[in-house]
Amino acid sequence: MITGAPARPVVNQDGYLPIEDHGLIGDGSTCALVGRDGAITWLCLPEFDSPPFLAGILDAESGGRFEIAPVRTLASSQRYTEDSCVLVTSLVSDRGVLQVTDGLTLRAGADLSEPVPAGRSELLRHARAVGGDVPLRISLIPKTGITFDTLATGWRFDWRQDGVHEVYLWSSVELIPDGRGLSAELTLRAGETLTMVLHWSGRFRLRQHPESKKLIDQTVYAWRRWASNLDCEGSQAELMKRSALTLKMLDHAETGAILAAATSSLPEWPGTSRNWDYRYTWVRDASFSNYVFRRIGDPSDADVFLAWVLTNVERDGAPHVMYALDGSQPPDEVEDPHLRGYRGSAPVRWGNGARHQLQHDVYGEIVDIAYQWSGSGKRVDERLWAALVPIVEMAIRSWRVPDSGPWEIRDKSRPFTYSAALCYVAIDRAIQIARRDGLPYPKRRWEATARQIRRAALTQSWDPRRRTFTENLGGNGGLDASLLTLPVRNVIDFDDPRMVSTTKAIAAELDAGNGLLFRYLPSVSPDGLPGNEGAFLLCSFWLVDNLAGQGRVDQAHELYESLCSRANSLGLLPEQIHPDTGEFLGNFPQAFSHVGVLASGLRLLKAERRAAKAGTTTRNQG
């Protein structure tokens, strides 16, 4: 069980709480980051990809924060209520302990497996003094530019975003206007509680004390009900379950569209401009997420996502790299002139310029999602097949065309090996669907083209001198950790000698130390961006997959355990890790990293069982 770490001092860096000192709460529509200091510094309303109401993690002065904390905090710890996404922060003062319970509340009886909103458009914060009388401070300071006024029943913030016009605050204690926000200082005596509720549905205002315990209990119940159906096994079963819960918090309830990450513009390296908005759905990320959701016992999100993405494709005439949650394209990328960035890492960006890129792997990702869906016992009918065939034809036309690749380089396009391989995946999976369900397809042309693309991906990217696949067709590119996915996507066998030597080359040349890998080296593989970046966690999980698939199970297990140990006390992981300090970098929590925990955990468990069975057979034969 992940119970959280013991209380430890709260230490800021340049006025900011470390990324790893945050927990995530969510309701399937939006999410919030809760710091170990008792402050919420990230909340977008009303949805994940809406503008932020609170963005203090991106600017400690102008971004806004919602804080409930002792006047003097000596140490703190965080834990989730078991098998739920309700978070408890314990803040230790010299007078006692303040326990703050935070949740984005869910409706009574909410079923998180259904593709409907489960949330109440409500953030509940409930604090209780334990073991003494605790002097504390409360403040709600929204992002600069948001105005507010008083009501008979609380406070109203002007918030004209995405169909919402107002945000209401109800508080069980009196608050005083203080510059940009509201604040109070008081002493909470042992056993006393306070409650604050932020509400943004626009349909009603809170006029009486909310039943905090009832709301928390029904929210916990809904999460536990969903988690009870998960099938997570292995040495890191609890972390796998927490990863599944985290992915579910990043999953848009109505569409099954999973966010790349909860945040925007947390830097991939301190002080650099490698800061991106990840609050959108990449088809690539969703494909990997769909895979793990199916295998841990929750296929509902994958089913809904397939219908959603194909609807978007039919409407637009072709797949896009990424989508906003309403199925449209994310806004054009802009730099925020007002927010200074986490620890001064400017610029803060909204929108994502990669939406304009060519990334040909998208064809294979979509068809593979359909293939997984059909493999669960469902039949691809003529209508669905009619939607898939044009995507396959796009892959056939595009595989030779240079693109921006899986890492979305902002340099000159190249013929990426991964992109070509996923075009092969599009055709291969479509052929398997057609054979399985008796659907018509141009057999001779598709099968010949599939062989041609696979052969090109595995021969034209091969560097015989270095004995490794390379990032480009042509064999003269750098190494790219996405090559580790070729056997994962059944393009080549794990134990093929070429894949074994490629794995060895990547582990050596992209080594960031202590089991971490860079996804590529910008000095060798130009990406058009200045500065460094951290080690990309998912790449190391892909290395686990290859070690396990090559029979090096002990090495795979050791690496997997070391990667899992990098999760924070709540079981959350970022996009990247600083190879020297171990600090979290990039947007957080990152869906890809939690996919790695689950997918590699499942693959490793299978390999360990296979190895154990082989060992038993050998002993019996001896």
Side-chain angles (χ1 to χ4, degrees), residues 255-279:
T255 63
I258 195 159
L259 307 182
T263 57
S264 174
S265 300
L266 292 180
E268 296 175 356
W269 193 264
T272 72
S273 62
R274 291 175 179 259
N275 314 318
W276 316 109
D277 191 347
Y278 275 11
R279 300 170 303 142

mmCIF file with all atom_site columns, all heavy atoms in Angstrom, residues 255-279:
data_model
loop_
_atom_site.group_PDB
_atom_site.id
_atom_site.type_symbol
_atom_site.label_atom_id
_atom_site.label_alt_id
_atom_site.label_comp_id
_atom_site.label_asym_id
_atom_site.label_entity_id
_atom_site.label_seq_id
_atom_site.pdbx_PDB_ins_code
_atom_site.Cartn_x
_atom_site.Cartn_y
_atom_site.Cartn_z
_atom_site.occupancy
_atom_site.B_iso_or_equiv
_atom_site.pdbx_formal_charge
_atom_site.auth_seq_id
_atom_site.auth_comp_id
_atom_site.auth_asym_id
_atom_site.auth_atom_id
_atom_site.pdbx_PDB_model_num
ATOM 1   N N   . THR A 1 255 ? -15.268 11.500 -23.274 1.00 0.00 ? 255 THR A N   1
ATOM 2   C CA  . THR A 1 255 ? -14.710 11.090 -24.565 1.00 0.00 ? 255 THR A CA  1
ATOM 3   C C   . THR A 1 255 ? -13.676 9.979  -24.481 1.00 0.00 ? 255 THR A C   1
ATOM 4   O O   . THR A 1 255 ? -13.313 9.406  -25.506 1.00 0.00 ? 255 THR A O   1
ATOM 5   C CB  . THR A 1 255 ? -14.042 12.296 -25.254 1.00 0.00 ? 255 THR A CB  1
ATOM 6   O OG1 . THR A 1 255 ? -12.953 12.748 -24.439 1.00 0.00 ? 255 THR A OG1 1
ATOM 7   C CG2 . THR A 1 255 ? -15.031 13.438 -25.445 1.00 0.00 ? 255 THR A CG2 1
ATOM 8   N N   . GLY A 1 256 ? -13.171 9.673  -23.281 1.00 0.00 ? 256 GLY A N   1
ATOM 9   C CA  . GLY A 1 256 ? -12.065 8.726  -23.165 1.00 0.00 ? 256 GLY A CA  1
ATOM 10  C C   . GLY A 1 256 ? -10.762 9.306  -23.666 1.00 0.00 ? 256 GLY A C   1
ATOM 11  O O   . GLY A 1 256 ? -9.773  8.585  -23.830 1.00 0.00 ? 256 GLY A O   1
ATOM 12  N N   . ALA A 1 257 ? -10.726 10.618 -23.906 1.00 0.00 ? 257 ALA A N   1
ATOM 13  C CA  . ALA A 1 257 ? -9.522  11.290 -24.405 1.00 0.00 ? 257 ALA A CA  1
ATOM 14  C C   . ALA A 1 257 ? -8.602  11.603 -23.238 1.00 0.00 ? 257 ALA A C   1
ATOM 15  O O   . ALA A 1 257 ? -8.963  12.369 -22.349 1.00 0.00 ? 257 ALA A O   1
ATOM 16  C CB  . ALA A 1 257 ? -9.909  12.579 -25.132 1.00 0.00 ? 257 ALA A CB  1
ATOM 17  N N   . ILE A 1 258 ? -7.429  10.995 -23.240 1.00 0.00 ? 258 ILE A N   1
ATOM 18  C CA  . ILE A 1 258 ? -6.538  11.142 -22.105 1.00 0.00 ? 258 ILE A CA  1
ATOM 19  C C   . ILE A 1 258 ? -5.533  12.255 -22.369 1.00 0.00 ? 258 ILE A C   1
ATOM 20  O O   . ILE A 1 258 ? -5.003  12.397 -23.464 1.00 0.00 ? 258 ILE A O   1
ATOM 21  C CB  . ILE A 1 258 ? -5.826  9.813  -21.785 1.00 0.00 ? 258 ILE A CB  1
ATOM 22  C CG1 . ILE A 1 258 ? -5.194  9.859  -20.399 1.00 0.00 ? 258 ILE A CG1 1
ATOM 23  C CG2 . ILE A 1 258 ? -4.816  9.432  -22.858 1.00 0.00 ? 258 ILE A CG2 1
ATOM 24  C CD1 . ILE A 1 258 ? -4.916  8.505  -19.815 1.00 0.00 ? 258 ILE A CD1 1
ATOM 25  N N   . LEU A 1 259 ? -5.297  13.073 -21.354 1.00 0.00 ? 259 LEU A N   1
ATOM 26  C CA  . LEU A 1 259 ? -4.331  14.156 -21.475 1.00 0.00 ? 259 LEU A CA  1
ATOM 27  C C   . LEU A 1 259 ? -2.919  13.596 -21.474 1.00 0.00 ? 259 LEU A C   1
ATOM 28  O O   . LEU A 1 259 ? -2.641  12.586 -20.821 1.00 0.00 ? 259 LEU A O   1
ATOM 29  C CB  . LEU A 1 259 ? -4.444  15.124 -20.296 1.00 0.00 ? 259 LEU A CB  1
ATOM 30  C CG  . LEU A 1 259 ? -5.786  15.737 -19.953 1.00 0.00 ? 259 LEU A CG  1
ATOM 31  C CD1 . LEU A 1 259 ? -5.620  16.682 -18.787 1.00 0.00 ? 259 LEU A CD1 1
ATOM 32  C CD2 . LEU A 1 259 ? -6.380  16.446 -21.135 1.00 0.00 ? 259 LEU A CD2 1
ATOM 33  N N   . ALA A 1 260 ? -2.012  14.292 -22.163 1.00 0.00 ? 260 ALA A N   1
ATOM 34  C CA  . ALA A 1 260 ? -0.604  13.920 -22.047 1.00 0.00 ? 260 ALA A CA  1
ATOM 35  C C   . ALA A 1 260 ? -0.117  14.163 -20.629 1.00 0.00 ? 260 ALA A C   1
ATOM 36  O O   . ALA A 1 260 ? 0.668   13.390 -20.086 1.00 0.00 ? 260 ALA A O   1
ATOM 37  C CB  . ALA A 1 260 ? 0.240   14.705 -23.050 1.00 0.00 ? 260 ALA A CB  1
ATOM 38  N N   . ALA A 1 261 ? -0.565  15.253 -20.020 1.00 0.00 ? 261 ALA A N   1
ATOM 39  C CA  . ALA A 1 261 ? -0.213  15.574 -18.631 1.00 0.00 ? 261 ALA A CA  1
ATOM 40  C C   . ALA A 1 261 ? -1.205  16.593 -18.108 1.00 0.00 ? 261 ALA A C   1
ATOM 41  O O   . ALA A 1 261 ? -1.968  17.198 -18.868 1.00 0.00 ? 261 ALA A O   1
ATOM 42  C CB  . ALA A 1 261 ? 1.213   16.106 -18.533 1.00 0.00 ? 261 ALA A CB  1
ATOM 43  N N   . ALA A 1 262 ? -1.152  16.817 -16.804 1.00 0.00 ? 262 ALA A N   1
ATOM 44  C CA  . ALA A 1 262 ? -2.120  17.704 -16.164 1.00 0.00 ? 262 ALA A CA  1
ATOM 45  C C   . ALA A 1 262 ? -1.813  19.175 -16.372 1.00 0.00 ? 262 ALA A C   1
ATOM 46  O O   . ALA A 1 262 ? -2.693  20.017 -16.179 1.00 0.00 ? 262 ALA A O   1
ATOM 47  C CB  . ALA A 1 262 ? -2.172  17.406 -14.665 1.00 0.00 ? 262 ALA A CB  1
ATOM 48  N N   . THR A 1 263 ? -0.591  19.516 -16.754 1.00 0.00 ? 263 THR A N   1
ATOM 49  C CA  . THR A 1 263 ? -0.133  20.892 -16.677 1.00 0.00 ? 263 THR A CA  1
ATOM 50  C C   . THR A 1 263 ? 0.394   21.422 -18.006 1.00 0.00 ? 263 THR A C   1
ATOM 51  O O   . THR A 1 263 ? 0.536   20.683 -18.985 1.00 0.00 ? 263 THR A O   1
ATOM 52  C CB  . THR A 1 263 ? 0.987   21.021 -15.632 1.00 0.00 ? 263 THR A CB  1
ATOM 53  O OG1 . THR A 1 263 ? 2.040   20.111 -15.985 1.00 0.00 ? 263 THR A OG1 1
ATOM 54  C CG2 . THR A 1 263 ? 0.483   20.706 -14.233 1.00 0.00 ? 263 THR A CG2 1
ATOM 55  N N   . SER A 1 264 ? 0.719   22.694 -17.991 1.00 0.00 ? 264 SER A N   1
ATOM 56  C CA  . SER A 1 264 ? 1.401   23.341 -19.109 1.00 0.00 ? 264 SER A CA  1
ATOM 57  C C   . SER A 1 264 ? 2.681   23.991 -18.604 1.00 0.00 ? 264 SER A C   1
ATOM 58  O O   . SER A 1 264 ? 2.722   24.534 -17.493 1.00 0.00 ? 264 SER A O   1
ATOM 59  C CB  . SER A 1 264 ? 0.505   24.420 -19.729 1.00 0.00 ? 264 SER A CB  1
ATOM 60  O OG  . SER A 1 264 ? 1.208   25.151 -20.719 1.00 0.00 ? 264 SER A OG  1
ATOM 61  N N   . SER A 1 265 ? 3.733   23.900 -19.422 1.00 0.00 ? 265 SER A N   1
ATOM 62  C CA  . SER A 1 265 ? 4.928   24.747 -19.292 1.00 0.00 ? 265 SER A CA  1
ATOM 63  C C   . SER A 1 265 ? 5.816   24.486 -18.089 1.00 0.00 ? 265 SER A C   1
ATOM 64  O O   . SER A 1 265 ? 6.666   25.311 -17.772 1.00 0.00 ? 265 SER A O   1
ATOM 65  C CB  . SER A 1 265 ? 4.517   26.231 -19.298 1.00 0.00 ? 265 SER A CB  1
ATOM 66  O OG  . SER A 1 265 ? 3.848   26.557 -20.498 1.00 0.00 ? 265 SER A OG  1
ATOM 67  N N   . LEU A 1 266 ? 5.656   23.336 -17.427 1.00 0.00 ? 266 LEU A N   1
ATOM 68  C CA  . LEU A 1 266 ? 6.680   22.970 -16.449 1.00 0.00 ? 266 LEU A CA  1
ATOM 69  C C   . LEU A 1 266 ? 7.919   22.549 -17.232 1.00 0.00 ? 266 LEU A C   1
ATOM 70  O O   . LEU A 1 266 ? 7.836   21.736 -18.152 1.00 0.00 ? 266 LEU A O   1
ATOM 71  C CB  . LEU A 1 266 ? 6.191   21.849 -15.532 1.00 0.00 ? 266 LEU A CB  1
ATOM 72  C CG  . LEU A 1 266 ? 5.055   22.248 -14.582 1.00 0.00 ? 266 LEU A CG  1
ATOM 73  C CD1 . LEU A 1 266 ? 4.649   21.075 -13.710 1.00 0.00 ? 266 LEU A CD1 1
ATOM 74  C CD2 . LEU A 1 266 ? 5.434   23.446 -13.724 1.00 0.00 ? 266 LEU A CD2 1
ATOM 75  N N   . PRO A 1 267 ? 9.089   23.084 -16.909 1.00 0.00 ? 267 PRO A N   1
ATOM 76  C CA  . PRO A 1 267 ? 10.252  22.988 -17.808 1.00 0.00 ? 267 PRO A CA  1
ATOM 77  C C   . PRO A 1 267 ? 10.884  21.602 -17.858 1.00 0.00 ? 267 PRO A C   1
ATOM 78  O O   . PRO A 1 267 ? 10.971  20.905 -16.844 1.00 0.00 ? 267 PRO A O   1
ATOM 79  C CB  . PRO A 1 267 ? 11.228  24.009 -17.219 1.00 0.00 ? 267 PRO A CB  1
ATOM 80  C CG  . PRO A 1 267 ? 10.866  24.068 -15.766 1.00 0.00 ? 267 PRO A CG  1
ATOM 81  C CD  . PRO A 1 267 ? 9.375   23.900 -15.710 1.00 0.00 ? 267 PRO A CD  1
ATOM 82  N N   . GLU A 1 268 ? 11.348  21.237 -19.052 1.00 0.00 ? 268 GLU A N   1
ATOM 83  C CA  . GLU A 1 268 ? 12.091  19.997 -19.229 1.00 0.00 ? 268 GLU A CA  1
ATOM 84  C C   . GLU A 1 268 ? 13.539  20.140 -18.742 1.00 0.00 ? 268 GLU A C   1
ATOM 85  O O   . GLU A 1 268 ? 14.250  19.136 -18.645 1.00 0.00 ? 268 GLU A O   1
ATOM 86  C CB  . GLU A 1 268 ? 12.060  19.581 -20.696 1.00 0.00 ? 268 GLU A CB  1
ATOM 87  C CG  . GLU A 1 268 ? 10.651  19.247 -21.179 1.00 0.00 ? 268 GLU A CG  1
ATOM 88  C CD  . GLU A 1 268 ? 10.589  18.943 -22.662 1.00 0.00 ? 268 GLU A CD  1
ATOM 89  O OE1 . GLU A 1 268 ? 11.624  19.060 -23.353 1.00 0.00 ? 268 GLU A OE1 1
ATOM 90  O OE2 . GLU A 1 268 ? 9.500   18.590 -23.150 1.00 0.00 ? 268 GLU A OE2 1
ATOM 91  N N   . TRP A 1 269 ? 13.937  21.351 -18.482 1.00 0.00 ? 269 TRP A N   1
ATOM 92  C CA  . TRP A 1 269 ? 15.242  21.635 -17.860 1.00 0.00 ? 269 TRP A CA  1
ATOM 93  C C   . TRP A 1 269 ? 15.127  23.003 -17.194 1.00 0.00 ? 269 TRP A C   1
ATOM 94  O O   . TRP A 1 269 ? 14.580  23.927 -17.796 1.00 0.00 ? 269 TRP A O   1
ATOM 95  C CB  . TRP A 1 269 ? 16.365  21.623 -18.887 1.00 0.00 ? 269 TRP A CB  1
ATOM 96  C CG  . TRP A 1 269 ? 17.734  21.596 -18.283 1.00 0.00 ? 269 TRP A CG  1
ATOM 97  C CD1 . TRP A 1 269 ? 18.552  22.667 -18.038 1.00 0.00 ? 269 TRP A CD1 1
ATOM 98  C CD2 . TRP A 1 269 ? 18.437  20.449 -17.813 1.00 0.00 ? 269 TRP A CD2 1
ATOM 99  N NE1 . TRP A 1 269 ? 19.724  22.259 -17.460 1.00 0.00 ? 269 TRP A NE1 1
ATOM 100 C CE2 . TRP A 1 269 ? 19.689  20.895 -17.308 1.00 0.00 ? 269 TRP A CE2 1
ATOM 101 C CE3 . TRP A 1 269 ? 18.153  19.085 -17.764 1.00 0.00 ? 269 TRP A CE3 1
ATOM 102 C CZ2 . TRP A 1 269 ? 20.626  20.021 -16.762 1.00 0.00 ? 269 TRP A CZ2 1
ATOM 103 C CZ3 . TRP A 1 269 ? 19.091  18.218 -17.231 1.00 0.00 ? 269 TRP A CZ3 1
ATOM 104 C CH2 . TRP A 1 269 ? 20.308  18.684 -16.738 1.00 0.00 ? 269 TRP A CH2 1
ATOM 105 N N   . PRO A 1 270 ? 15.618  23.154 -15.963 1.00 0.00 ? 270 PRO A N   1
ATOM 106 C CA  . PRO A 1 270 ? 15.460  24.434 -15.265 1.00 0.00 ? 270 PRO A CA  1
ATOM 107 C C   . PRO A 1 270 ? 16.033  25.605 -16.058 1.00 0.00 ? 270 PRO A C   1
ATOM 108 O O   . PRO A 1 270 ? 17.144  25.550 -16.562 1.00 0.00 ? 270 PRO A O   1
ATOM 109 C CB  . PRO A 1 270 ? 16.249  24.221 -13.960 1.00 0.00 ? 270 PRO A CB  1
ATOM 110 C CG  . PRO A 1 270 ? 16.260  22.743 -13.757 1.00 0.00 ? 270 PRO A CG  1
ATOM 111 C CD  . PRO A 1 270 ? 16.321  22.147 -15.132 1.00 0.00 ? 270 PRO A CD  1
ATOM 112 N N   . GLY A 1 271 ? 15.222  26.657 -16.182 1.00 0.00 ? 271 GLY A N   1
ATOM 113 C CA  . GLY A 1 271 ? 15.681  27.878 -16.798 1.00 0.00 ? 271 GLY A CA  1
ATOM 114 C C   . GLY A 1 271 ? 15.684  27.900 -18.308 1.00 0.00 ? 271 GLY A C   1
ATOM 115 O O   . GLY A 1 271 ? 16.107  28.891 -18.906 1.00 0.00 ? 271 GLY A O   1
ATOM 116 N N   . THR A 1 272 ? 15.208  26.823 -18.954 1.00 0.00 ? 272 THR A N   1
ATOM 117 C CA  . THR A 1 272 ? 15.221  26.788 -20.422 1.00 0.00 ? 272 THR A CA  1
ATOM 118 C C   . THR A 1 272 ? 13.827  27.068 -20.972 1.00 0.00 ? 272 THR A C   1
ATOM 119 O O   . THR A 1 272 ? 12.852  27.168 -20.233 1.00 0.00 ? 272 THR A O   1
ATOM 120 C CB  . THR A 1 272 ? 15.697  25.428 -20.952 1.00 0.00 ? 272 THR A CB  1
ATOM 121 O OG1 . THR A 1 272 ? 14.678  24.441 -20.717 1.00 0.00 ? 272 THR A OG1 1
ATOM 122 C CG2 . THR A 1 272 ? 16.986  24.997 -20.272 1.00 0.00 ? 272 THR A CG2 1
ATOM 123 N N   . SER A 1 273 ? 13.755  27.156 -22.287 1.00 0.00 ? 273 SER A N   1
ATOM 124 C CA  . SER A 1 273 ? 12.478  27.448 -22.944 1.00 0.00 ? 273 SER A CA  1
ATOM 125 C C   . SER A 1 273 ? 11.770  26.199 -23.444 1.00 0.00 ? 273 SER A C   1
ATOM 126 O O   . SER A 1 273 ? 10.805  26.294 -24.195 1.00 0.00 ? 273 SER A O   1
ATOM 127 C CB  . SER A 1 273 ? 12.716  28.402 -24.127 1.00 0.00 ? 273 SER A CB  1
ATOM 128 O OG  . SER A 1 273 ? 13.568  27.793 -25.088 1.00 0.00 ? 273 SER A OG  1
ATOM 129 N N   . ARG A 1 274 ? 12.238  25.015 -23.051 1.00 0.00 ? 274 ARG A N   1
ATOM 130 C CA  . ARG A 1 274 ? 11.577  23.768 -23.465 1.00 0.00 ? 274 ARG A CA  1
ATOM 131 C C   . ARG A 1 274 ? 10.362  23.531 -22.563 1.00 0.00 ? 274 ARG A C   1
ATOM 132 O O   . ARG A 1 274 ? 10.340  22.638 -21.716 1.00 0.00 ? 274 ARG A O   1
ATOM 133 C CB  . ARG A 1 274 ? 12.549  22.601 -23.388 1.00 0.00 ? 274 ARG A CB  1
ATOM 134 C CG  . ARG A 1 274 ? 13.675  22.664 -24.430 1.00 0.00 ? 274 ARG A CG  1
ATOM 135 C CD  . ARG A 1 274 ? 14.681  21.541 -24.228 1.00 0.00 ? 274 ARG A CD  1
ATOM 136 N NE  . ARG A 1 274 ? 15.730  21.573 -25.227 1.00 0.00 ? 274 ARG A NE  1
ATOM 137 C CZ  . ARG A 1 274 ? 15.794  20.778 -26.303 1.00 0.00 ? 274 ARG A CZ  1
ATOM 138 N NH1 . ARG A 1 274 ? 14.857  19.861 -26.503 1.00 0.00 ? 274 ARG A NH1 1
ATOM 139 N NH2 . ARG A 1 274 ? 16.778  20.881 -27.163 1.00 0.00 ? 274 ARG A NH2 1
ATOM 140 N N   . ASN A 1 275 ? 9.348   24.357 -22.776 1.00 0.00 ? 275 ASN A N   1
ATOM 141 C CA  . ASN A 1 275 ? 8.148   24.353 -21.943 1.00 0.00 ? 275 ASN A CA  1
ATOM 142 C C   . ASN A 1 275 ? 6.931   24.261 -22.854 1.00 0.00 ? 275 ASN A C   1
ATOM 143 O O   . ASN A 1 275 ? 6.738   25.129 -23.702 1.00 0.00 ? 275 ASN A O   1
ATOM 144 C CB  . ASN A 1 275 ? 8.061   25.652 -21.125 1.00 0.00 ? 275 ASN A CB  1
ATOM 145 C CG  . ASN A 1 275 ? 9.374   26.021 -20.469 1.00 0.00 ? 275 ASN A CG  1
ATOM 146 O OD1 . ASN A 1 275 ? 10.069  25.166 -19.947 1.00 0.00 ? 275 ASN A OD1 1
ATOM 147 N ND2 . ASN A 1 275 ? 9.721   27.303 -20.500 1.00 0.00 ? 275 ASN A ND2 1
ATOM 148 N N   . TRP A 1 276 ? 6.095   23.252 -22.655 1.00 0.00 ? 276 TRP A N   1
ATOM 149 C CA  . TRP A 1 276 ? 5.000   23.001 -23.593 1.00 0.00 ? 276 TRP A CA  1
ATOM 150 C C   . TRP A 1 276 ? 3.688   22.772 -22.865 1.00 0.00 ? 276 TRP A C   1
ATOM 151 O O   . TRP A 1 276 ? 3.657   22.341 -21.706 1.00 0.00 ? 276 TRP A O   1
ATOM 152 C CB  . TRP A 1 276 ? 5.333   21.798 -24.478 1.00 0.00 ? 276 TRP A CB  1
ATOM 153 C CG  . TRP A 1 276 ? 6.730   21.815 -24.990 1.00 0.00 ? 276 TRP A CG  1
ATOM 154 C CD1 . TRP A 1 276 ? 7.765   21.002 -24.620 1.00 0.00 ? 276 TRP A CD1 1
ATOM 155 C CD2 . TRP A 1 276 ? 7.296   22.730 -25.958 1.00 0.00 ? 276 TRP A CD2 1
ATOM 156 N NE1 . TRP A 1 276 ? 8.906   21.340 -25.291 1.00 0.00 ? 276 TRP A NE1 1
ATOM 157 C CE2 . TRP A 1 276 ? 8.652   22.400 -26.120 1.00 0.00 ? 276 TRP A CE2 1
ATOM 158 C CE3 . TRP A 1 276 ? 6.765   23.787 -26.700 1.00 0.00 ? 276 TRP A CE3 1
ATOM 159 C CZ2 . TRP A 1 276 ? 9.494   23.078 -26.995 1.00 0.00 ? 276 TRP A CZ2 1
ATOM 160 C CZ3 . TRP A 1 276 ? 7.602   24.471 -27.568 1.00 0.00 ? 276 TRP A CZ3 1
ATOM 161 C CH2 . TRP A 1 276 ? 8.948   24.116 -27.714 1.00 0.00 ? 276 TRP A CH2 1
ATOM 162 N N   . ASP A 1 277 ? 2.601   23.016 -23.577 1.00 0.00 ? 277 ASP A N   1
ATOM 163 C CA  . ASP A 1 277 ? 1.260   22.803 -23.041 1.00 0.00 ? 277 ASP A CA  1
ATOM 164 C C   . ASP A 1 277 ? 0.835   21.377 -23.371 1.00 0.00 ? 277 ASP A C   1
ATOM 165 O O   . ASP A 1 277 ? 0.631   21.031 -24.534 1.00 0.00 ? 277 ASP A O   1
ATOM 166 C CB  . ASP A 1 277 ? 0.301   23.821 -23.664 1.00 0.00 ? 277 ASP A CB  1
ATOM 167 C CG  . ASP A 1 277 ? -1.060  23.854 -22.977 1.00 0.00 ? 277 ASP A CG  1
ATOM 168 O OD1 . ASP A 1 277 ? -1.348  22.948 -22.188 1.00 0.00 ? 277 ASP A OD1 1
ATOM 169 O OD2 . ASP A 1 277 ? -1.833  24.795 -23.245 1.00 0.00 ? 277 ASP A OD2 1
ATOM 170 N N   . TYR A 1 278 ? 0.685   20.549 -22.345 1.00 0.00 ? 278 TYR A N   1
ATOM 171 C CA  . TYR A 1 278 ? 0.382   19.126 -22.527 1.00 0.00 ? 278 TYR A CA  1
ATOM 172 C C   . TYR A 1 278 ? -1.051  18.777 -22.163 1.00 0.00 ? 278 TYR A C   1
ATOM 173 O O   . TYR A 1 278 ? -1.375  17.596 -21.987 1.00 0.00 ? 278 TYR A O   1
ATOM 174 C CB  . TYR A 1 278 ? 1.323   18.281 -21.656 1.00 0.00 ? 278 TYR A CB  1
ATOM 175 C CG  . TYR A 1 278 ? 2.664   17.980 -22.284 1.00 0.00 ? 278 TYR A CG  1
ATOM 176 C CD1 . TYR A 1 278 ? 3.094   18.617 -23.438 1.00 0.00 ? 278 TYR A CD1 1
ATOM 177 C CD2 . TYR A 1 278 ? 3.514   17.044 -21.695 1.00 0.00 ? 278 TYR A CD2 1
ATOM 178 C CE1 . TYR A 1 278 ? 4.323   18.336 -23.989 1.00 0.00 ? 278 TYR A CE1 1
ATOM 179 C CE2 . TYR A 1 278 ? 4.757   16.755 -22.245 1.00 0.00 ? 278 TYR A CE2 1
ATOM 180 C CZ  . TYR A 1 278 ? 5.150   17.406 -23.390 1.00 0.00 ? 278 TYR A CZ  1
ATOM 181 O OH  . TYR A 1 278 ? 6.375   17.126 -23.947 1.00 0.00 ? 278 TYR A OH  1
ATOM 182 N N   . ARG A 1 279 ? -1.942  19.756 -22.083 1.00 0.00 ? 279 ARG A N   1
ATOM 183 C CA  . ARG A 1 279 ? -3.313  19.491 -21.614 1.00 0.00 ? 279 ARG A CA  1
ATOM 184 C C   . ARG A 1 279 ? -4.247  19.067 -22.750 1.00 0.00 ? 279 ARG A C   1
ATOM 185 O O   . ARG A 1 279 ? -5.435  19.339 -22.718 1.00 0.00 ? 279 ARG A O   1
ATOM 186 C CB  . ARG A 1 279 ? -3.870  20.737 -20.920 1.00 0.00 ? 279 ARG A CB  1
ATOM 187 C CG  . ARG A 1 279 ? -3.063  21.188 -19.705 1.00 0.00 ? 279 ARG A CG  1
ATOM 188 C CD  . ARG A 1 279 ? -3.519  22.541 -19.223 1.00 0.00 ? 279 ARG A CD  1
ATOM 189 N NE  . ARG A 1 279 ? -3.430  23.528 -20.300 1.00 0.00 ? 279 ARG A NE  1
ATOM 190 C CZ  . ARG A 1 279 ? -4.324  24.491 -20.496 1.00 0.00 ? 279 ARG A CZ  1
ATOM 191 N NH1 . ARG A 1 279 ? -5.375  24.604 -19.714 1.00 0.00 ? 279 ARG A NH1 1
ATOM 192 N NH2 . ARG A 1 279 ? -4.155  25.344 -21.495 1.00 0.00 ? 279 ARG A NH2 1
#
